[in-house]
Amino acid sequence: MGIPSYTLLPHEATCQSPHDGSIATALERSEEGHPAMKIVVCVKYVPDATADRTFNSDNTVDRTGVDGVLSELDEYAVEEALKIRDAGDDCEIVVLTVGPDVARSAILKSLQMGADAGVHVLDDAIHGSDAVGTSLVLAKAIERQQADLVVCGMASTDGSMSVVPAMVAERLGLPQVTFGSQVTVDGTTVRVRRDGDAATETIEGTLPLLLSVTDQANEPRYPSFKGIMAAKKKPVDVLSLSDLGVAAGDVGADAAWTKVQQSQQRPARSAGTIVTDEDGTGAAKLVEFLAGQKFV
Ligand SMILES: Cc1cc2nc3c(=O)[nH]c(=O)nc-3n(C[C@H](O)[C@H](O)[C@H](O)COP(=O)(O)OP(=O)(O)OC[C@H]3O[C@@H](n4cnc5c(N)ncnc54)[C@H](O)[C@@H]3O)c2cc1C
């Protein structure tokens, strides 16, 4: 499955998907009374950044013994899907996570925000998967959903590799429009503004495609009381690797291309240097310290 080729034109780019035209599927869906567009949002469950991060004996991150949350950067992905629906697009929003049992709270938070349904890929064989393995499981789960639009966060807040969206797009043969800080959907056309250090690009693509959004794209809503109550009744599919037709040997620590050899606790932060200004020399001492640290 080759990467769709496109040439980036200054400020504007168009790309056409080689996909088999789930547009037709969307129309069929609306004729069958289903929402015309299906959006799948990939959300990751991560250790709470405020909690101490600990590692298991196999050097993987302990995700069950510590508090965990929906990755903060994925709240922007959920919110972007909700905004597309609020803009009047007739769409169904499914949130998808790959993770241990506790990861279902990432789905619950997304349903409380307003997503319609969840898919949780839960299988012990996934433990220790690297980005390559994770992207395989996600792609297989998305394929089942026949999504028109896949939305991801710009990165997770634990591995923070920013590679999974591109890997998923490659596996599905979908055009990818990443790091969108402003998104508009006009029928089957998705237009994204991407703010780089040196330039701002406007990229346009045609559904079906994969999109990732930055933390500048929107302001995630807080779940309302009504949303929290409604989420309890929303459907969540729990799938195993065999449900997806993924061989256990293709994921997990043994299949990982990268292996964490060793992990150790970060040394406790030292108190640091305290500069007190008793005789007006405080500023000079501060400059001396900053110069000494080559900060200035
Ligand atoms: C500290 C640390 C270091 C790591 N180092 C490596 C490494 O060097 N190489 C390697 O291959 N793996 C590494 N991993 C494992 C890697 O984090 C996982 O495989 C992970 O699932 C994918 O990478 P990521 O979290 O960096 O995702 P990113 O590439 O940052 O993912 C971005 C987006 O993809 C989606 N996404 C990612 N994971 C999931 C998921 N499980 N469920 C649903 N959506 C998801 C979300 O929308 C997310 O916003 C590391 C993990 C940790 C915690």
Side-chain angles (χ1 to χ4, degrees):
M1 199 186 287
I3 296 180
S5 63
Y6 64 89
T7 313
L8 194 59
L9 306 167
H11 308 309
E12 293 279 343
T14 57
C15 53
Q16 190 64 39
S17 157
H19 198 276
D20 61 359
S22 69
I23 310 292
T25 318
L27 286 169
E28 281 156 10
R29 263 205 294 274
S30 60
E31 271 148 23
E32 289 154 9
H34 295 303
M37 179 170 21
K38 179 168 251 185
I39 304 179
V40 171
V41 187
C42 298
V43 295
K44 190 178 181 188
Y45 174 81
V46 296
D48 187 336
T50 58
D52 272 344
R53 191 164 300 166
T54 53
F55 288 81
N56 300 314
S57 56
D58 63 359
N59 288 319
T60 57
V61 167
D62 178 2
R63 293 181 191 284
T64 50
V66 292
D67 291 344
V69 291
L70 164 66
S71 176
E72 197 186 327
L73 292 171
D74 291 341
E75 291 188 22
Y76 297 94
V78 176
E79 180 61 29
E80 203 55 42
L82 296 171
K83 276 179 56 187
I84 293 168
R85 188 176 61 194
D86 294 350
D89 278 288
D90 172 19
C91 58
E92 179 188 4
I93 301 170
V94 175
V95 286
L96 164 64
T97 199
V98 175
D101 194 39
V102 283
R104 72 178 177 281
S105 70
I107 288 186
L108 183 62
K109 173 78 184 284
S110 310
L111 296 176
Q112 292 172 344
M113 288 174 71
D116 301 301
V119 174
H120 182 181
V121 184
L122 172 62
D123 198 306
D124 292 347
I126 298 173
H127 176 75
S129 290
D130 64 0
V132 177
T134 303
S135 67
L136 172 62
V137 179
L138 285 170
K140 286 292 179 188
I142 293 166
E143 219 166 37
R144 257 173 85 106
Q145 295 291 323
Q146 292 215 326
D148 298 294
L149 178 61
V150 180
V151 188
C152 295
M154 60 192 266
S156 72
T157 52
D158 61 347
S160 314
M161 298 173 61
S162 283
V163 294
V164 169
M167 290 177 172
V168 169
E170 161 65 5
R171 288 183 184 279
L172 294 171
L174 288 179
Q176 51 172 300
V177 178
T178 54
F179 297 96
S181 48
Q182 191 185 58
V183 180
T184 47
V185 177
D186 176 8
T188 59
T189 303
V190 176
R191 176 176 285 233
V192 158
R193 193 190 78 218
R194 180 156 70 188
D195 299 331
D197 297 340
T200 289
E201 300 166 289
T202 304
I203 307 193
E204 196 175 282
T206 307
L207 294 176
L209 62 77
L210 180 139
L211 162 74
S212 82
V213 294
T214 73
D215 53 1
Q216 303 305 308
N218 56 54
E219 200 52 53
R221 66 196 67 186
Y222 289 97
S224 63
F225 178 72
K226 193 162 154 265
I228 292 169
M229 299 314 286
K232 294 185 176 137
K233 298 196 187 76
K234 292 179 178 175
V236 176
D237 265 356
V238 179
L239 303 175
S240 67
L241 288 178
S242 61
D243 292 329
L244 298 177
V246 174
D250 290 343
V251 296
D254 294 343
W257 294 15
T258 53
K259 297 213 181 315
V260 177
Q261 301 291 346
Q262 188 202 342
S263 58
Q264 64 201 47
Q265 209 60 31
R266 184 177 50 200
R269 284 182 78 131
S270 65
T273 309
I274 298 173
V275 175
T276 46
D277 185 4
E278 274 130 17
D279 55 3
T281 61
K285 284 185 195 148
L286 193 55
V287 172
E288 202 183 299
F289 171 81
L290 294 174
Q293 304 290 322
K294 300 207 175 344
F295 292 149
V296 293

